[in-house]
Amino acid sequence: MTKSTPVPQKSTAATPSAAKPSPPPDSLSRGVRETIEAIAIAFALAFLFKTFEAEAFVIPTGSMAPTLMGRHKDVVCPKCGFRYSASASEEADRNGVVKTDVNSQIVGCTCPICRYQMFVDPIEPDGKANPSYSGDRIWVSKVPYHLMEPRRWDVIVFRYPEEAETYYIKRLVGLPGETVKILHGDIYAKSADQADFEIQRKPPEKLRAMMQVVHDNDYVSRELIDHDWPLRWQPWSKNDSPGDWEPSEDTRSYHTDGSAAGEAWMRYQHIVPPPVNWQAKRWVPERPPEAQLITDFYAFNTRVTRGRPYFDPSMLGLHWVGDLILECELDVESPRGTVLLDLVKGGRHFGCAMDVATGGAQLSIDGLADWRPAAQTRLRGPGKYRVRFANVDEQLVLWIDDKAVDFDGPTTYKHLDNDRPQAPDDLAPLGIGSRGAAVKVSHLRVLRDIYYIAARTPYADPITDDRSQEVTFELLPDQFFVLGDNSPASSDARLWSTQHFVERDLLVGKALFVYWPHPLNLPIPFTDMSIGVIPNFPGMGLIR
């Protein structure tokens, strides 16, 4: 990351009123002197503030996307309507200066939901509506690390060890004196006095900020439906029977009347159309589409440049991700019954049962009969509830209306040797069920955790080098280990050539706030042009 040019603060001197008499020469000279002194003091205070308190930076690259955005394009998929971002870092140098080479311009990207490859070439009429934007502007505080130790999962700014005049921004994952291990996409660590590695779990607020969208059922392509492409959420009974889940006409919501004799389930299958289907309009494949494993796919990385006008298949994601999150809105229609949530990883089922009548929730893991954390929740009786259920970092987390639920015991669990996918369960890894509850489910989203790729060099083959899916790094006192949230596209401590750590004296501060993401575009009536003048308030906020 490169440091932004500090933004000068404009000031305007008050103009004396014409009605007042002119001051005597002594008063005038004294006023000029006081003005000069005030300006000097203001500059001194600004310098001190920058030096000791906070400083503004611009994010130039996508190594922390989508947490923090470097130069990018914001696009809306014309097939499903999903809004996403694609990297445009290639269009500028490391200092943010836009290149004059037209071959570096971004001309295409791929939707994460329907996988439509969209053309965004700025010289084409359709591409003009998708300009490239500079990266997020952020405030970085220098105070916290003078008062306390940096904490794991903080987003920090530091001087690049191999080029101290260059600033980088990454997420802190390894602390001084630890041995850090990347294993199957997760972070493990142990101190010098520990015999075994322990998984490092993200707090709920960090997990929410870092999770990646896999599917959003509010954006189902009408064209896919018209060509009978299988729905990703499907009823999970062999025969149509009373109480089965039924999709709405637009397939964006599902309903059960709760009349099933036992449990009625629907499950998610990751059935994504290959890009060739969109290109060739070939919607009658030789064999029915099959479910795939969920991988570390980043739509942000699918950009295509004019100088390299083809899609890189490796950007579809090469690593299976089993740490998943289910989000939905439950419209409970009956005063009793049970709503069931299920996540699968490595053939193991991780469940949550919520009693509509009492508001009670109970977690479960198949094969662990004595593991039964319970809690009281606000999901009680008919009404609408926003629910999120996660199995990440060997811990189950439940949110009701965006508030994490406190259980009567730990919701963490020991390693279950389930780091490899098991068919057929991992091909339908998320489920929603009902036991006697009438409920409508909408705003369904499937999300995943960040998968950190185990590699030691930037030239590693993404398949063979990560075959063991494990790599370790040892830290001495005053050394920190950092990674980017966009692991496939991050030049972070894994890949540095001279050392794999950041010394304490290279730390600049903690990233606190996105104060100016790119402005929103204001369309110009009766033209295909727009003016970026509207402040992007939704994009502003604390950095988690």
Side-chain angles (χ1 to χ4, degrees), residues 7-18:
V7 181
Q9 301 297 316
K10 295 182 179 180
S11 62
T12 56
T15 303
S17 170

Side-chain angles (χ1 to χ4, degrees), residues 2 60 71 92-98:
T2 54
R71 184 176 178 82
D93 62 22
R94 54 194 280 172
N95 295 313
V97 179
V98 178

Side-chain angles (χ1 to χ4, degrees), residues 299-315:
F300 192 84
N301 298 338
T302 62
R303 74 284 187 194
V304 175
T305 63
R306 184 175 290 109
R308 191 182 181 188
Y310 58 87
F311 180 75
D312 184 354
S314 69
M315 290 298 99

Side-chain angles (χ1 to χ4, degrees), residues 216-217 233 254 266 326-328 432 441-445:
D216 190 325
N217 209 60
W233 285 98
Y254 292 78
M266 65 174 183
L326 168 60
E327 275 189 1
C328 63
I432 301 177
V441 180
S442 58
H443 303 302
L444 279 156
R445 292 210 306 166

